[in-house]
Amino acid sequence: WRIHARDDREAVPDALPQGTRVEVLELFYNVPARKKFLRTEQTEYRHIETLFKHMALSHPAVAFKLLHNQKVVYQLASARDLDDQRRRLAQLCGKNFAHSLVEIDVASDDLRLQGWVALPTFNRSQADMQYFFVNQRVVRDKLINHAIRQAYHDVLFHGRHPAYVLTLTLDAHEVDVNVHPQKHEVRFRNSRRVHDFLFRSLHQALAGVQPEQQIDSPGFALNDALAKSQPGSQPDQGGLNFSALASQFRGGDRS
């Protein structure tokens, strides 16, 4: 079906393969004065690319293609299984991120957390690789951010940021999405329960990471220093003691 916002008054039949196509033409036709608020072409493109990534990460089963100046920037096939999802993550977030993942799939009553978090050794100097979705809607929520930071508290150096792509699914009646003009924030009916669920799920997943996963993971130059710092020492068989490592390197190079 086709709906033309300016001319058509109702939907009309229109042959098309399965899927949806949205075209935006003459964007400032009715409000030409708004055009002066546009930034540079590169800045506006980055906004579009960010929106594209949000949609592609929150709907892995949907194929996406992004073109810019008649050139294909992203060609994403439908991701039907975990391997397909990893390939999509590598395309959108980089190969190092895709090779440093811990899968998350935890459910408790009507709450379910799915997705991927990067190993603590793959971290960022800024929070630029953090994607969190609530019922497939991207959000930047203080409560969610606090729960995730708490889960990583003992395994990250000060000033470093984790990377993740996570989706929280819950009953729509348990979350209010109309608390922010741009829908970036949400309000949970039982915020303490959601916070504790997120913290517990991520904390347990990170605690289960084995030492060999940490040493072999790319993305953080400190791995080599950790491996060479104490040649005769053996890591705890129950998992890497991040707190002890942090105390050893707290005064050293953090690059």
Side-chain angles (χ1 to χ4, degrees):
W1 296 87
R2 175 171 60 89
I3 301 175
H4 195 292
R6 195 171 68 188
D7 298 335
D8 298 343
R9 297 184 178 181
E10 58 183 19
V12 297
D14 191 11
L16 183 73
Q18 181 178 1
T20 302
R21 182 176 64 207
V22 178
E23 294 184 358
V24 180
L25 305 173
E26 299 179 353
L27 182 61
F28 302 99
Y29 175 78
N30 288 323
V31 283
R34 304 280 294 185
K35 189 174 183 178
K36 66 180 181 181
F37 292 100
L38 284 176
R39 304 299 181 183
T40 65
E41 180 180 345
Q42 185 62 28
T43 298
E44 297 298 338
Y45 169 74
R46 285 200 301 268
H47 293 325
I48 294 172
E49 185 181 30
T50 298
L51 178 61
F52 176 87
K53 287 184 177 182
H54 289 166
M55 293 188 295
L57 291 171
S58 61
H59 296 80
V62 178
F64 289 90
K65 181 168 67 174
L66 176 65
L67 297 93
H68 180 54
N69 291 334
Q70 308 306 316
K71 295 182 179 180
V72 176
V73 181
Y74 293 104
Q75 179 81 52
L76 306 176
S78 176
R80 298 293 182 179
D81 54 33
L82 294 180
D83 289 338
D84 289 343
Q85 292 180 32
R86 281 182 175 271
R87 279 191 285 270
R88 176 169 291 198
L89 289 171
Q91 289 179 272
L92 294 173
C93 302
K95 292 182 179 180
N96 283 350
F97 176 75
H99 293 159
S100 305
L101 297 179
V102 177
E103 183 186 359
I104 305 292
D105 192 349
V106 183
S108 176
D109 297 329
D110 62 329
L111 298 176
R112 185 176 185 182
L113 183 66
Q114 296 172 283
W116 314 84
V117 296
L119 293 168
T121 45
F122 181 92
N123 52 71
R124 312 284 292 177
S125 60
Q126 53 187 346
D128 61 344
M129 201 173 288
Q130 299 180 349
Y131 302 96
F132 197 96
F133 306 93
V134 175
N135 292 344
Q136 296 187 306
R137 177 196 298 268
V138 63
V139 299
R140 294 193 300 268
D141 186 82
K142 294 180 180 178
L143 179 139
I144 292 172
N145 291 341
H146 183 269
I148 296 175
R149 286 200 308 270
Q150 288 294 103
Y152 273 92
H153 179 72
D154 294 331
V155 298
L156 278 188
F157 287 95
H158 178 72
R160 305 298 296 185
H161 300 271
Y164 52 81
V165 177
L166 294 168
T167 296
L168 175 66
T169 304
L170 73 166
D171 190 317
H173 294 93
E174 294 297 319
V175 55
D176 183 0
V177 300
N178 295 312
V179 298
H180 190 278
Q182 297 181 341
K183 314 298 183 183
H184 288 164
E185 298 178 7
V186 294
R187 179 182 294 116
F188 298 103
R189 177 169 296 183
N190 192 334
S191 58
R192 170 54 61 182
R193 177 169 171 259
V194 172
H195 181 282
D196 292 347
F197 171 72
L198 295 176
F199 167 77
R200 183 174 62 253
S201 300
L202 296 176
H203 183 74
Q204 292 175 353
L206 294 171
V209 173
Q210 297 302 310
E212 59 271 18
Q213 292 177 274
Q214 288 290 328
I215 297 301
D216 292 338
S217 68
F220 191 27
L222 188 57
N223 287 338
D224 293 336
L226 295 177
K228 297 176 183 177
S229 60
Q230 296 179 329
S233 64
Q234 295 294 327
D236 182 3
Q237 296 302 313
L240 187 59
N241 189 334
F242 296 107
S243 298
L245 293 174
S247 64
Q248 294 174 18
F249 289 91
R250 186 163 288 120
D253 181 14
R254 298 187 183 185
S255 62

